[in-house]
Amino acid sequence: MKISNVLKAEYEIYRKSSLVKFISIITFSLSVLFGFIIFHSSSFTGSLSFLALMKGYENGFNFSISLIYSIFNILIFFMIVTASTTVSDEAQKGTLRTILVKRLKRRELIFGKSIFLLICFFTLIAIISLLSLAVGGILFGFSDISEKNYIIHSNLSLFYNYFLSLFLMIFPISALINLCLFFSVLFNNNLMSLISCFGVNFIFYIFTELDFYKYLFLTNYILYPLKAFQKMAQGLPLVWSPQIWYMIIVTVIYLIGFLVLAVIFFRNKEIP
Amino acid sequence: MKEDFLLRIKNLSKSFGGLKVLDDISFDVLRGKITGFLGPNGAGKTTTIKILLGLINRDMGQIELNGKEIQDVKNLKFKITIGALMEFPSFFSHLTSRENLKILSLSDNYQTDEKRIDHLLNLVELKHAKDRKIKTFSFGMKQKLAIADAFLNDPELLILDEPFNGLDPNSMDILNQILKNYVREKGTVFISSHILSEVEDLCDWIILLNKRKIIYKGVLKSLISQKSLKEMYLKLTKDENI
């Protein structure tokens, strides 16, 4: 019951935050703008070059897929910043002390914040997804593009894999939220928390470049569901298993591990 | 007559990085009374209060509630309803005073309706500012809101750290009356303050802390039978400094 109270309180705090409104508007405007640029550009370079393959295959799903793929890194960046400062910011401002003298168990606060951030992230993804589907549908329609030579996915297949990819994001994103939350608990200073969190993610990223070790590091799996989006856009076949189960197991270990660590450190933390 | 205590603190010690800030202090908080916790800056008053509220850990010592030892001090607030006010209170600056109290009652898992929130804001004379954002508040107004917050859960015990800080004389008088009425209705107050004139008028029982140790504890009247509290305070803390 207490966790639901934390969720309600977090909702009230974030709902009235002008920064959150600003980030939401900017994220959405950028995403729509980015999506249109991609669809109306004739040349793509670097990691976006695969999008050039979609030229001539405009469809509501493809529009949404390319848009989410394009803005995913921006969303992850905002999510890391928010999650890695969620406790440290309250410690810095003193509101953590105001809350913790209340009848609230520290673990409930951590669980509540973790669940709230996850809900926030997926609400944002869901809103962007639905709006982009609506915009894409209005502009390009949902005509079946499977008959065209390159794109092998039918609308049904796109529909299924699109939502499966979104669902599978829950695991790596939850793990990433809990990793950030752990660093947020460690420090009473936002800057320290942010530097540590980005630093660890960067180290993880370096390890993902190594062939064997990459399977052990969370960073390897954060973009895993996104790769499905890339394949869908390219018209390549999708093979989910058995890698899908390996991804779920590894990310759940991270998810639980960092949540437990955050709770243990927070339980013994001295509040200034 | 034997005093009835609600809280008994025994041999409490605390260090920060090798620096001792509380050295084996023992005292009682009396049921249905106002216990004053006095001492100069840095004496260890806030540290003691933070330990009682579970914000920091003790190094040594026991805390008893109604004669029963509390093993984990962080659980004290779950055994008895506590209303707390910390020195330099902080609130969510982008929210109004009503919204802050609503969120804090949620954190306390206490059902507080709008009427009670409005009543408490009236009580501390913040009725006019109930829909104003905290970022526009003065320090004194935040202090008043913290007083309202302390009463939010209808507490059995009030723990107040420097509640008179930043209050104008009228507001001090109002808080004085609120606390007296609260105690009359069987509430218990543990209050730290350096505003001796207020304490003198308010407290039944005094604990005087200086340089990490308790140098006096007892009935206020017997301490100030011949001299004012200020004179006795200066004498006791000065003697300790020699």
Side-chain angles (χ1 to χ4, degrees):
Chain A
M1 281 307 288
K2 291 281 188 62
I3 293 173
S4 66
N5 279 353
V6 175
L7 290 176
K8 280 182 204 164
E10 289 288 312
Y11 172 71
E12 288 296 325
I13 293 165
Y14 278 90
R15 191 168 66 96
K16 296 282 168 72
S17 165
S18 45
L19 183 69
V20 170
K21 285 174 193 163
F22 174 76
I23 288 173
S24 304
I25 291 166
I26 290 293
T27 309
F28 182 69
S29 308
L30 276 178
S31 60
V32 172
L33 189 68
F34 204 12
F36 271 100
I37 289 170
I38 286 164
F39 262 81
H40 293 286
S41 294
S42 52
S43 61
F44 298 90
T45 52
S47 61
L48 294 178
S49 56
F50 81 95
L51 291 168
L53 296 169
M54 280 195 296
K55 291 302 289 181
Y57 301 109
E58 285 89 350
N59 167 287
F61 274 119
N62 261 5
F63 177 80
S64 183
I65 287 165
S66 62
L67 195 144
I68 289 179
Y69 183 83
S70 313
I71 63 151
F72 194 78
N73 288 336
I74 301 170
L75 291 180
I76 288 281
F77 175 79
F78 280 134
M79 207 271 301
I80 291 177
V81 171
T82 312
S84 61
T85 56
T86 184
V87 178
S88 61
D89 190 50
E90 291 210 29
Q92 198 171 305
K93 287 177 180 163
T95 47
L96 187 62
R97 196 181 60 174
T98 311
I99 287 173
L100 286 181
V101 298
K102 304 287 178 190
R103 286 182 167 215
L104 178 71
K105 290 200 169 94
R106 292 187 181 198
R107 67 165 180 270
E108 289 166 346
L109 187 68
I110 294 295
F111 289 155
K113 279 185 179 287
S114 173
I115 295 167
F116 180 77
L117 286 167
L118 190 64
I119 292 171
C120 276
F121 183 82
F122 280 94
T123 305
L124 198 58
I125 284 276
I127 291 169
I128 291 170
S129 164
L130 290 173
L131 283 172
S132 61
L133 279 175
V135 171
I138 292 165
L139 289 174
F140 308 112
F142 287 101
S143 60
D144 204 322
I145 49 177
S146 60
E147 76 248 24
K148 301 200 176 181
N149 292 335
Y150 197 81
I151 308 291
I152 63 163
H153 299 290
S154 65
N155 259 358
L156 188 67
S157 159
L158 277 178
F159 180 83
Y160 169 77
N161 287 306
Y162 178 87
F163 287 104
L164 181 63
S165 306
L166 288 182
F167 169 75
L168 286 174
M169 280 181 195
I170 287 176
F171 300 98
I173 295 300
S174 305
L176 185 63
I177 284 173
N178 290 345
L179 181 145
C180 296
L181 203 56
F182 168 69
F183 284 102
S184 182
V185 161
L186 278 189
F187 300 100
N188 294 327
N189 178 296
N190 286 340
L191 193 62
M192 286 297 292
S193 181
L194 273 172
I195 290 170
S196 310
C197 200
F198 277 109
V200 165
N201 275 300
F202 182 68
I203 292 167
F204 278 11
Y205 179 75
I206 290 171
F207 274 97
T208 57
E209 296 294 303
L210 304 171
D211 247 1
F212 174 73
Y213 294 106
K214 71 178 182 183
Y215 297 107
L216 302 173
F217 288 93
L218 176 64
T219 325
N220 188 46
Y221 301 101
I222 290 172
L223 300 178
Y224 179 76
L226 215 61
K227 284 176 187 164
F229 273 54
Q230 186 178 357
K231 283 184 177 177
M232 278 188 271
Q234 283 177 301
L236 296 173
L238 281 170
V239 184
W240 284 108
S241 57
Q243 253 196 319
I244 204 170
W245 290 108
Y246 191 73
M247 181 209 76
I248 290 171
I249 291 166
V250 174
T251 51
V252 165
I253 290 170
Y254 271 94
L255 186 161
I256 295 171
F258 277 107
L259 190 63
V260 169
L261 279 176
V263 168
I264 290 171
F265 274 84
F266 195 49
R267 198 170 57 190
N268 297 312
K269 185 182 172 81
E270 302 215 325
I271 311 299
Chain B
M1 194 182 84
K2 195 184 170 191
E3 296 288 355
D4 178 22
F5 69 89
L6 180 71
L7 272 184
R8 172 160 282 176
I9 285 83
K10 289 181 185 170
N11 313 110
L12 192 65
S13 294
K14 174 72 184 172
S15 300
F16 288 115
L19 180 72
K20 206 150 210 173
V21 287
L22 286 177
D23 189 6
D24 200 27
I25 67 164
S26 301
F27 63 89
D28 295 339
V29 175
L30 304 186
R31 190 192 310 277
K33 301 270 165 98
I34 301 179
T35 303
F37 196 40
L38 312 180
N41 295 335
K45 303 188 296 293
T46 300
T47 302
T48 308
I49 286 175
K50 280 185 175 176
I51 291 173
L52 291 178
L53 292 172
L55 293 174
I56 58 174
N57 305 314
R58 67 199 153 154
D59 293 343
M60 281 201 317
Q62 289 179 338
I63 292 171
E64 289 177 15
L65 174 71
N66 293 318
K68 283 185 185 171
E69 190 185 341
I70 307 287
Q71 294 294 338
D72 184 356
V73 186
K74 287 194 181 82
N75 286 335
L76 179 65
K77 62 190 172 192
F78 299 103
K79 308 267 181 193
I80 181 172
T81 322
I82 298 176
L85 181 152
M86 295 301 298
E87 197 177 13
F88 309 118
S90 298
F91 296 97
F92 299 99
S93 59
H94 64 290
L95 302 179
T96 66
S97 43
R98 282 176 93 179
E99 288 164 346
N100 265 283
L101 291 186
K102 194 178 160 193
I103 283 169
L104 291 169
S105 71
L106 277 173
S107 306
D108 212 35
N109 205 28
Y110 187 83
Q111 293 294 322
T112 309
D113 57 22
E114 297 279 330
K115 270 187 183 175
R116 181 163 172 78
I117 288 175
D118 285 348
H119 165 71
L120 289 170
L121 289 172
N122 284 349
L123 200 67
V124 295
E125 293 192 315
L126 279 181
K127 187 183 176 182
H128 64 287
K130 63 185 178 184
D131 292 319
R132 256 174 68 182
K133 290 186 176 176
I134 303 301
K135 59 186 167 195
T136 66
F137 273 30
S138 67
F139 177 67
M141 289 169 84
K142 283 184 193 167
Q143 193 76 358
K144 286 179 182 179
L145 185 60
I147 294 162
D149 172 36
F151 280 95
L152 204 54
N153 57 355
D154 199 11
E156 294 165 79
L157 168 66
L158 272 179
I159 298 180
L160 311 173
D161 191 11
E162 303 287 359
F164 296 105
N165 271 1
L167 296 184
D168 56 63
N170 280 340
S171 304
M172 278 192 195
D173 196 45
I174 289 167
L175 177 58
N176 200 315
Q177 284 309 314
I178 291 172
L179 293 178
K180 281 178 179 170
N181 289 339
Y182 170 73
V183 169
R184 212 171 287 136
E185 290 163 16
K186 307 287 180 201
T188 300
V189 181
F190 180 59
I191 181 171
S192 108
S193 180
H194 61 262
I195 301 178
L196 299 176
S197 55
E198 290 300 323
V199 174
E200 193 167 359
D201 182 44
L202 202 59
C203 297
D204 311 290
W205 186 264
I206 288 286
I207 298 152
L208 191 50
L209 192 66
N210 191 32
K211 289 189 171 178
R212 312 171 292 277
K213 288 187 178 234
I214 287 174
I215 53 172
Y216 177 83
K217 54 185 170 184
V219 180
L220 177 65
K221 280 175 188 166
S222 61
L223 178 69
I224 56 168
S225 53
Q226 290 171 338
K227 292 180 176 177
S228 72
L229 178 59
K230 188 179 176 182
E231 284 172 314
M232 283 309 297
Y233 174 90
L234 290 172
K235 182 180 181 300
L236 286 168
T237 51
K238 194 178 170 187
D239 287 348
E240 276 290 309
N241 286 333
I242 293 167

